[in-house]
Amino acid sequence: MKTIRIKYLSDKIDKLEKISKGDWIDLRAAEDLELKAGEFKLIPLGIAMQLPEGYEAHIVPRSSTFKNFGIIQTNHQGVVDCSYCGDNDQWYMPAYALRDTKINCNDRICQFRIMENQPEISFEEVEQLGTPDRGGIGSTGTK
């Protein structure tokens, strides 16, 4: 089991707990805020972490975020690498509002998981891959 050092930059959000293997971890807004339709905001998440060397965090919206708050994450998936680990390296969710909305401090607005960095890879150019075609874009692979 990996242990991750975390610093809370807000005493108003619930603390993270031990996570079962495979689960996503909810993150919370660290302040009350209102957004008007068409407005952009970096929403502070109230935490900084020291990820283990060779790992990164992938941050995405929760499945209910758009329905509940009318916001989308502007980078669609945020990646925090292990070098972003200082005491004031707060995590944020870059959000764009598609309708007027209010987000309360401690609302769960996004989630993350820790992933191992991609290993070193190389590419080999070939004339044929030697595997059957699935049928192209939009195909289920069945005929």
Side-chain angles (χ1 to χ4, degrees), residues 45-77:
L45 301 173
I47 59 166
M49 288 190 205
Q50 184 179 33
L51 300 176
E53 187 69 33
Y55 285 80
E56 60 196 27
H58 295 187
I59 303 171
V60 299
R62 296 182 74 239
S63 60
S64 61
T65 297
F66 181 76
K67 176 182 66 89
N68 291 341
F69 304 107
I71 60 172
I72 57 174
Q73 186 172 333
T74 58
N75 57 356
H76 303 288
Q77 174 182 301

Side-chain angles (χ1 to χ4, degrees), residues 7-75:
K7 179 179 177 182
Y8 289 92
L9 303 169
S10 169
D11 60 359
K12 297 176 183 168
I13 58 172
D14 292 349
K15 297 199 184 300
L16 302 181
E17 298 176 7
K18 179 182 172 189
I19 304 301
S20 298
K21 184 177 179 179
D23 287 350
W24 286 78
I25 305 153
D26 289 339
L27 293 170
R28 299 167 181 274
E31 64 183 40
D32 292 331
L33 56 104
E34 291 187 30
L35 290 165
K36 299 291 183 197
E39 194 173 358
F40 169 82
K41 170 96 173 151
L42 286 173
I43 301 174
L45 301 173
I47 59 166
M49 288 190 205
Q50 184 179 33
L51 300 176
E53 187 69 33
Y55 285 80
E56 60 196 27
H58 295 187
I59 303 171
V60 299
R62 296 182 74 239
S63 60
S64 61
T65 297
F66 181 76
K67 176 182 66 89
N68 291 341
F69 304 107
I71 60 172
I72 57 174
Q73 186 172 333
T74 58
N75 57 356

